[in-house]
Every structure is written in C-alpha cells, then in structure tokens.
Amino acid sequence: MNVVSPIRDKKQLEAVKGYLRGKNKRDYLLFMIGISSALRISDILRLKVEDVWTGKKPVEYVDLHEKKTGKYKRFPVTPNLSKAIKEYMTEYSPAQDQFLFVSRVGENKPITRQYASMMLNEACDMVGITEPFGTHGMRKTWGYWAFKQNISLDYISLALNHRSVAETKRYLGLLQEDLDNIYLQVNL
C-alpha cells in the first residue's frame, strides 16, 4: 500500500476543487464528500442519492455504518458540501435509490476505487501537486485541515475512528513534521 499525503496548501486544494468542478460534477462531489466527511473511499462509494438528498434539498446529516469498522458515523452537510450536492443534482437528476457515484458501466453500480484513484491523481497532477495523493488522501486532508484549525487531536481521532491520538498524529504526518521542526530548532 502506498503512503499518501494530505493536500497541505489551501491554494492547491481550491485548484483541485476548481479543476474537478469544471470537468465533471460527479467527480467534484466525490472529492467534496471525501474532504468534508473523513470517510474512507469504501464508504463514499456505497452512498446512495437518498443518503445526501431529500428529493428537494441536501440532507442536514449523513448517517451510515462504516464498512471497515462497522461503527456508526454521522456528519453534518457543510455549506460547501451542500452547494456541491445541489450542483450535482441539478446536472444529473438521479433517482433516490441510485448510487450517488454511479458508473457508466453496468446498471446502477458505483464507480470503482481504481477509477476514483485515477481521477484524483489526474486532478492533482493537473494542478501541480507532486506528493502522492490517492483516495485516502481526501480523508487525510480533512484531518490535516481540522488540525490546522486548532481542533483538538482528541476530536480528530474520534472522527477518524482511531484508537489513539498518537495513531492520528502518525496518520496525519504530524510526528514527522514535529521532528523536522525539532531538528530545525536545535540547529547546532
């Protein structure tokens, strides 16, 4: 398994959003859910239209049981995510029982993890991101920006369903960042 990184630069994050939004609203919504929810790609791809859309407007909260852990997860639909959902629904008008990220291949099947990874890597390449990203990078991006906004690592750890804060620090690359800063501070 390749280690992926979060998007640490706000301009690059906005550039990925802009690229995907202009290219394909489905892929843009996938990215927006990924960076807004801290969900794993396996959970994102299982979402149905009814999980995010009432038929007239976005839901207030998305509720699900995580595939990997079986744990219940709930997250609010943020204003930015709500806007992305509305744009998607306006363009595609999918049925409520349809997969949200339906593939063009097969009848009501979601896109594959491989397609999602390829699409995200292409978007990152197009905006000049050189660090490895992939589907898990969306989850890491959420955690990284939560930390940068001074959200307690205890809460971030809970949101990511990690066993400990130390695991979350390793996961987000904060331990290495801290170690790098220590070396720079010592500067003998």
Side-chain angles (χ1 to χ4, degrees):
M1 177 184 222
N2 294 335
V3 175
V4 297
S5 301
I7 299 175
R8 293 183 175 91
D9 181 292
K10 202 66 141 178
K11 287 180 183 172
Q12 287 182 321
L13 182 61
E14 292 302 320
V16 171
K17 286 184 195 179
Y19 174 79
L20 290 171
R21 187 173 184 222
K23 186 173 185 226
N24 181 314
K25 294 290 192 300
R26 179 195 64 191
D27 296 350
Y28 170 62
L29 180 58
L30 183 139
F31 183 70
M32 290 300 294
I33 287 177
I35 64 171
S36 300
S37 68
L39 288 175
R40 292 174 183 86
I41 192 65
S42 57
D43 294 318
I44 294 170
L45 295 179
R46 291 184 321 138
L47 291 172
K48 300 257 182 142
V49 172
E50 63 198 358
D51 294 325
V52 301
W53 186 250
T54 67
K56 295 182 182 192
K57 63 180 185 166
V59 298
E60 287 186 54
Y61 297 92
V62 175
D63 298 281
L64 62 119
H65 286 276
E66 292 182 332
K67 184 177 179 183
K68 181 177 179 179
T69 65
K71 293 180 181 177
Y72 171 76
K73 171 113 177 175
R74 170 185 148 154
F75 67 91
V77 173
T78 64
N80 286 342
L81 180 54
S82 179
K83 183 178 173 187
I85 292 168
K86 288 175 190 172
E87 288 179 20
Y88 175 86
M89 294 305 161
T90 300
E91 186 164 318
Y92 294 104
S93 302
Q96 285 291 99
D97 63 343
Q98 188 174 350
F99 280 104
L100 190 57
F101 304 107
V102 70
S103 172
R104 293 184 189 107
V105 181
E107 181 111 359
N108 194 23
K109 296 209 187 272
I111 62 172
T112 64
R113 297 170 66 102
Q114 293 80 7
Y115 172 81
S117 182
M118 179 204 67
M119 172 271 296
L120 291 168
N121 282 314
E122 176 189 301
C124 288
D125 287 345
M126 293 303 288
V127 303
I129 295 173
T130 57
E131 291 183 303
F133 189 69
T135 57
H136 213 65
M138 296 184 295
R139 183 171 154 86
K140 285 188 175 189
T141 297
W142 181 90
Y144 178 81
W145 285 103
F147 176 75
K148 284 297 183 185
Q149 293 177 21
N150 295 318
I151 306 298
S152 162
L153 277 169
D154 291 323
Y155 284 118
I156 296 170
S157 182
L158 282 171
L160 294 172
N161 274 324
H162 286 166
R163 287 182 282 267
S164 68
V165 169
E167 180 182 355
T168 301
K169 286 182 98 174
R170 270 191 311 279
Y171 178 81
L172 297 177
L174 300 176
L175 289 179
Q176 188 59 56
E177 201 173 280
D178 291 344
L179 285 172
D180 292 348
N181 287 335
I182 290 168
Y183 281 102
L184 292 170
Q185 284 176 4
V186 172
N187 190 30
L188 299 174

